[in-house]
Amino acid sequence: RRSRPRTSPAPGPAMAAALPAGVPLLLALLLAPRGRAQSFGQTRFVCTSVPLDGDVCAATAPGAGSAEELKSTVLQLRETVLQQKETIMNQKETIRELTAKLGRCESQSVLDALPGEPKGGGAGRRQPGFNKNTMGDLSRAPAAETLSQLGQTLQSLKTRLENLEQFSRMNSSGQTTNLKDILQNKIDDLEKQVLSRVNSLEEGKFNPKNESEERGKIESTLTSLHQRISDLEKGQKDNRPPDRFQLTFPLRTNYMYAKVKKSLPEMYAFSVCMWIKSSASPGMGTPFSYAVPGQANELVLIEWGNNPMEILINDKVAKLPFVINDGKWHHICVTWTTRDGVWEAYQDGTQTGSGENLAPYHPIKPQGVLVLGQEQDTLGGGFDATQAFVGELAHFNVWDRKLSPGEVYGLATCSSKALSGNVIAWAEANIDIYGGATKWTFEACRQLN
């Protein structure tokens, strides 16, 4: 039978006193006599070195020094945290000051270049919450370009007046002539305002507040001129069918647009067709947009920046294979059905693309606002000049069903049997025009025939 091992007893007081100063405690344990047996069980021995002039009893309390060090470390960390908090608060204040200064600089930088293309998402649209100053979109263009665009608008109004003058000579209408003279004087006044802007820019007397007021006056005058010229042109309506007209949007602004008087009903399928002509770059903009409460992108056709033309339904996007940005008239149609979200695209009477899973089983909602020439960020407004349509548009028709390929071809070839939209039919009485967009006699079908 194995004998039970004996353990060494702890050194007695006499022995500890007899040891010279500086002898390690472990050495004392090894030198202790084995007279008395003492069991330590699972106890661990901790060896501590004692300096020559140190206290052996104090050295046997290993936690004392650690507690003091821990307390000191905690105090240092707390002080560091407080310093970091103070630094963060100072940085936040600096950021607020820089942001305020940047805002003031942006509000005064009216002669900077147009803003670049924003970010991602379907159709490259602005992200929600982006604070835009749409009234300044045009002002941030180079001065020469802005004034050139205003000059084009004035020239188009002059051309229309010349046509009216010729018409009045043929009809010997004194009233029309008098109105023409009044309008001519108004256009002359507008030209003087434009020249005044040029002088102010060249002399460095440009003031953003004055510019905003001047812009409002010019836009108001343009709208008034357009309305009075349109009233004069009504005398010529008897000479053309009610659908033989086109809309012209000569400038990329946030105030030229047309509004369809009727809203769309709830639709589980649709066909949207139109004649379109543009050479604007980059992107021709937004030919039409339909917004409903709670969804500004219920139904939108847009070509923005360098992106291809896209159709949006309830903010879902499909890219359309149209190649129409060549300054020539093209007929386009897009058909869609809520069943599986199937869509088809036609250009000049020929199907050029198709797809599915575009907002499937989502009916087009009713009681919205249908706008031609602008993309809506809010119901009936929130226009962004960089997304505005630039070009000419005619025969915008909407059906609540998918047209057949034969029906689309008939529209594209101006067939006498071509149908008008049963939801929205192209007619002057159905459209209101704002901001100086103009009406002209539509010639594309006459050229085809």
Side-chain angles (χ1 to χ4, degrees):
R1 188 176 64 176
R2 296 182 180 179
S3 60
R4 181 178 179 183
R6 293 182 299 173
T7 58
S8 299
M15 182 178 180
L19 291 172
V23 176
L25 184 60
L26 179 59
L27 182 59
L29 292 171
L30 294 174
L31 296 176
R34 300 180 180 180
R36 291 175 296 176
Q38 182 178 356
S39 176
F40 291 94
Q42 300 296 325
T43 302
R44 293 185 302 167
F45 291 98
V46 179
C47 300
T48 305
S49 298
V50 181
L52 290 175
D53 56 350
D55 186 0
V56 176
C57 295
T60 60
S66 300
E68 291 296 329
E69 293 177 0
L70 182 60
K71 183 177 180 181
S72 175
T73 302
V74 169
L75 292 175
Q76 291 177 0
L77 289 174
R78 184 178 297 172
E79 183 179 356
T80 302
V81 170
L82 292 175
Q83 291 176 353
Q84 290 179 344
K85 283 184 177 180
E86 183 178 357
T87 301
I88 291 173
M89 293 301 294
N90 292 336
Q91 290 176 345
K92 285 184 177 180
E93 183 64 27
T94 302
I95 290 172
R96 281 195 293 267
E97 292 178 1
L98 291 175
T99 302
K101 291 179 180 179
L102 180 61
R104 290 194 295 270
C105 290
E106 288 179 343
S107 66
Q108 296 175 3
S109 299
V110 293
L111 297 179
D112 290 347
L114 278 171
E117 290 184 15
K119 66 261 168 193
R125 300 178 309 284
R126 288 179 180 265
Q127 296 284 348
F130 183 87
N131 293 328
K132 65 182 182 182
N133 176 15
T134 56
M135 287 304 296
D137 287 336
L138 190 59
S139 289
R140 287 193 291 269
E145 180 182 348
T146 303
L147 296 172
S148 174
Q149 291 176 342
L150 286 172
Q152 293 175 17
T153 302
L154 295 175
Q155 186 58 46
S156 68
L157 291 174
K158 279 188 172 182
T159 303
R160 294 173 69 190
L161 281 174
E162 290 172 0
N163 293 336
L164 287 171
E165 183 178 16
Q166 183 178 1
F167 177 78
S168 65
R169 288 174 180 172
M170 295 173 58
N171 293 273
S172 300
S173 173
Q175 181 180 5
T176 302
T177 301
N178 292 335
L179 286 174
K180 188 273 300 181
D181 292 337
I182 294 173
L183 293 173
Q184 183 65 59
N185 292 333
K186 285 185 173 291
I187 290 179
D188 292 340
D189 291 339
L190 273 177
E191 286 183 325
K192 292 178 182 178
Q193 292 182 43
V194 172
L195 291 175
S196 175
R197 287 188 66 193
V198 174
N199 295 332
S200 298
L201 290 171
E202 290 178 348
E203 296 173 5
K205 298 178 180 179
F206 193 77
N207 186 310
K209 294 183 178 179
N210 293 340
E211 166 63 9
S212 179
E213 295 175 359
E214 182 181 355
R215 176 187 301 283
K217 292 178 181 178
I218 291 178
E219 291 173 3
S220 176
T221 306
L222 283 173
T223 301
S224 176
L225 278 171
H226 160 72
Q227 188 61 48
R228 299 193 67 176
I229 292 177
S230 297
D231 291 340
L232 289 176
E233 289 174 335
K234 288 179 180 179
Q236 303 177 11
K237 280 188 176 181
D238 295 338
N239 299 327
R240 71 184 185 198
D243 64 344
R244 190 64 61 84
F245 75 101
Q246 69 190 48
L247 297 180
T248 300
F249 302 90
L251 307 176
R252 199 181 291 277
T253 74
N254 65 337
Y255 55 83
M256 284 189 181
Y257 68 101
K259 182 178 177 182
V260 180
K261 294 180 180 180
K262 289 181 58 179
S263 178
L264 299 180
E266 185 175 56
M267 297 189 299
Y268 294 84
F270 68 74
S271 296
V272 178
C273 300
M274 72 196 78
W275 282 92
I276 198 167
K277 176 183 177 182
S278 179
S279 58
S281 178
M284 67 175 63
T286 309
F288 78 89
S289 64
Y290 176 67
V292 297
Q295 177 54 277
N297 298 315
E298 183 69 5
L299 179 57
V300 182
L301 183 67
I302 185 171
E303 182 186 74
W304 193 42
N306 295 317
N307 300 314
M309 184 166 281
E310 297 172 334
I311 185 78
L312 283 74
I313 299 176
N314 191 33
D315 239 349
K316 306 302 185 295
V317 184
K319 298 183 183 300
L320 304 178
F322 291 147
V323 183
I324 54 179
N325 194 12
D326 57 3
K328 300 178 181 179
W329 279 108
H330 294 280
H331 187 268
I332 60 174
C333 275
V334 179
T335 68
W336 172 86
T337 178
T338 186
R339 182 177 178 83
D340 296 326
V342 176
W343 60 270
E344 297 173 348
Y346 294 83
Q347 179 177 329
D348 298 327
T350 302
Q351 183 176 327
T352 57
S354 63
E356 59 183 14
N357 202 33
L358 174 59
Y361 304 103
H362 170 83
I364 303 299
K365 296 178 181 178
Q367 306 304 317
V369 177
L370 182 56
V371 168
L372 305 179
Q374 295 283 355
E375 196 272 335
Q376 304 173 65
D377 284 344
T378 59
L379 188 65
F383 303 146
D384 178 359
T386 63
Q387 295 176 322
F389 174 68
V390 179
E392 297 167 86
L393 186 150
H395 283 260
F396 177 84
N397 287 275
V398 181
W399 293 260
D400 59 3
R401 63 180 179 86
K402 290 184 65 174
L403 296 183
S404 68
E407 290 173 323
V408 173
Y409 184 79
L411 291 166
T413 56
C414 300
S415 170
S416 59
K417 298 180 180 180
L419 303 172
S420 296
N422 67 331
V423 174
I424 301 293
W426 185 246
E428 292 189 65
N430 295 338
I431 295 176
D432 289 327
I433 299 177
Y434 300 91
T438 57
K439 290 181 182 179
W440 298 89
T441 302
F442 181 61
E443 300 292 343
C445 283
R446 182 179 300 178
Q447 295 171 4
L448 289 175
N449 295 331

